[in-house]
Amino acid sequence: MADYQGPERVLSGIQPSGGMHLGNYLGAIRKFVDLQDRHDCFYCVVDMHAITVWQAPAKLKAQTRHIAASYLAAGVDPARAVVFHQSGVRAHAELAWIFNCVARLGWLDRMTQFKDKAGKDKERASVGLYTYPVLQAADILVYKATHVPVGEDQKQHLELSRDVAGKFNHDYEVPNFFPLPEPLIKGAGARVMSLRDGTAKMSKSDSSENACIFLNDDADAIARKIKKAKTDPEPLPSEPAGLEGRPEAANLVGIYAALAKKTDAEVLAEYGGQGFGVFKPALADLVVDKIAPIGDELRRLEADEAYLDAVLREGAAKAAAVADPIVADVKEIVGFLV
Ligand code: TYM
């Protein structure tokens, strides 16, 4: 970003490929809310990314509204931030094609998320799944976004976005046309792990429904999942170093710290020496206190499809008004007739 002179802008997105969970909330949405007061923010529901793996059409519509409703329920304000669906702004797809011709095969070959998602049978994966990070670069750079709040798992994709921006600027001899976007990852909650396996990321595609707390889980479901969370027999240590080699304990302490806006050390100063019989109910109370009201608001908003669709439509128009002139400049730079 060193010499980029344009305004600071924030962009991020979440896929409508399943229910919104605590990892999405702590890793991403909570940051979205904090940033909207200080920056120009663009928050999209990345439906074009979702179809890189099969999505039943009717379900995709419902999931798109679910993600939009989750943004709003968590406190994103469509009067302050632009909330929209990716497919509603054509500029994303246009820039993605140009970026497909900038990004190199070798860069995409290194993407670990493709390897994880495609599994052993990569010949049967969609081409879109492979080129997914290029569309993500277009999402960001079509607004010349300078900052991208995400969880830790998106670090490699953000590096690719920076590489695409840098190569475009270099190849077309337009220094600083695109900013090199900076990921905003740090902080508690950047990597929330499964409640059933402290070494695996909390994910909507986990096969065990107890592994993941969804934003629309009610208080009973939240308490039950935390009660069943995998732990070890030892009491909690009194300092963070004692969490080493105890991934499940570290994860529960991390969730507590993130929700209470404390450090792990502060949580352990309070609960060190206590067993999970004491810590789990305290954690369940905290999660219910912070998440259940969001779930209530989410359900209320989801019942009002017309409102959500209007928010997304208006957001898409506002987003296009920023993106279209940037794509027009890109076409001129590339040498397309305009
Ligand atoms: P997605 O839909 O998988 O996840 C959305 C956001 O939630 C974060 N996240 C987590 N954070 C902490 N702990 C977890 N267990 C956890 N699981 C998910 C993700 O890091 C992400 O911030 N490729 C992106 C979507 C995307 C995007 C973009 C993001 C498309 N275009 C442009 C930023 C900018 C993705 O699949 O996120």
Side-chain angles (χ1 to χ4, degrees):
M1 268 242 320
D3 300 317
Y4 179 73
Q5 300 293 327
E8 291 200 345
R9 281 193 189 126
V10 171
L11 176 127
S12 198
I14 297 187
Q15 295 192 70
S17 52
M20 190 73 98
H21 59 71
L22 189 63
N24 301 136
Y25 175 68
L26 291 175
I29 307 185
R30 201 169 66 164
K31 295 184 204 149
F32 297 2
V33 179
D34 290 344
L35 287 161
Q36 68 185 353
D37 294 329
R38 285 172 283 128
H39 294 279
D40 262 356
C41 295
F42 295 80
Y43 297 132
C44 61
V45 183
V46 290
D47 47 2
M48 286 154 65
H49 277 108
I51 62 163
T52 56
V53 298
W54 172 251
Q55 304 293 334
K59 217 170 156 191
L60 181 61
K61 287 193 172 154
Q63 294 287 10
T64 299
R65 294 184 182 114
H66 172 74
I67 303 296
S70 302
Y71 287 172
L72 305 189
V76 172
D77 175 1
R80 280 183 285 171
V82 181
V83 176
F84 65 104
H85 53 311
Q86 182 189 30
S87 65
V89 182
R90 288 182 194 164
H92 291 241
E94 275 188 279
L95 187 60
W97 179 258
I98 294 170
F99 282 175
N100 271 329
C101 304
V102 173
R104 305 288 95 180
L105 272 183
W107 301 356
L108 292 178
D109 279 343
R110 286 194 285 277
M111 294 292 119
T112 54
Q113 192 161 304
F114 175 77
K115 290 178 197 159
D116 292 347
K117 285 203 174 171
K120 285 197 188 80
D121 203 2
K122 81 174 167 66
E123 304 297 317
R124 294 176 65 87
S126 74
V127 175
L129 188 65
Y130 186 70
T131 188
Y132 173 119
V134 178
L135 176 60
Q136 183 161 345
D139 297 338
I140 298 166
L141 294 166
V142 83
Y143 304 98
K144 296 191 175 178
T146 52
H147 295 87
V148 185
V150 281
E152 205 174 276
D153 60 345
Q154 294 302 308
K155 200 168 169 213
Q156 198 184 32
H157 288 164
L158 263 291
E159 278 159 16
L160 188 124
S161 296
R162 293 168 65 88
D163 289 344
V164 169
K167 186 164 166 56
F168 182 94
N169 291 348
H170 173 269
D171 290 358
Y172 289 103
E173 298 180 13
V174 282
N176 301 313
F177 177 77
F178 284 122
L180 306 189
E182 296 197 15
L184 301 175
I185 295 177
K186 286 198 188 72
R191 189 164 176 79
V192 178
M193 310 308 278
S194 157
L195 297 181
R196 303 298 309 161
D197 174 0
T199 63
K201 187 180 77 166
M202 182 177 281
S203 151
K204 43 200 159 206
S205 53
D206 202 299
S207 53
S208 161
E209 69 137 32
N210 289 325
C212 191
I213 292 173
F214 291 100
L215 286 194
N216 59 8
D217 279 344
D218 61 23
D220 287 349
I222 294 172
R224 178 172 40 81
K225 289 179 182 182
I226 291 176
K227 196 169 174 198
K228 289 195 168 174
K230 188 177 165 198
T231 44
D232 55 41
E234 302 297 318
L236 284 173
S238 45
E239 283 170 20
L243 293 169
E244 199 80 10
R246 299 178 64 187
E248 283 81 19
N251 187 38
L252 296 186
V253 169
I255 292 172
Y256 192 106
L259 284 172
K261 300 204 167 165
K262 290 185 174 171
T263 62
D264 285 3
E266 286 167 333
V267 176
L268 293 175
E270 195 177 341
Y271 289 100
Q274 304 274 14
F276 287 99
V278 172
F279 185 64
K280 278 183 169 178
L283 176 62
D285 285 349
L286 179 64
V287 179
V288 168
D289 188 47
K290 301 284 180 191
I291 298 300
I294 298 176
D296 292 342
E297 180 62 3
L298 171 55
R299 276 184 289 276
R300 190 188 71 74
L301 285 163
E302 268 187 306
D304 195 347
E305 287 182 5
Y307 171 70
L308 292 172
D309 292 1
V311 166
L312 291 172
R313 225 178 10 253
E314 283 165 29
K318 287 188 210 161
V322 177
D324 289 348
I326 293 175
V327 169
D329 288 348
V330 170
K331 287 179 160 177
E332 177 67 38
I333 290 168
V334 167
F336 291 163
L337 288 174
V338 285

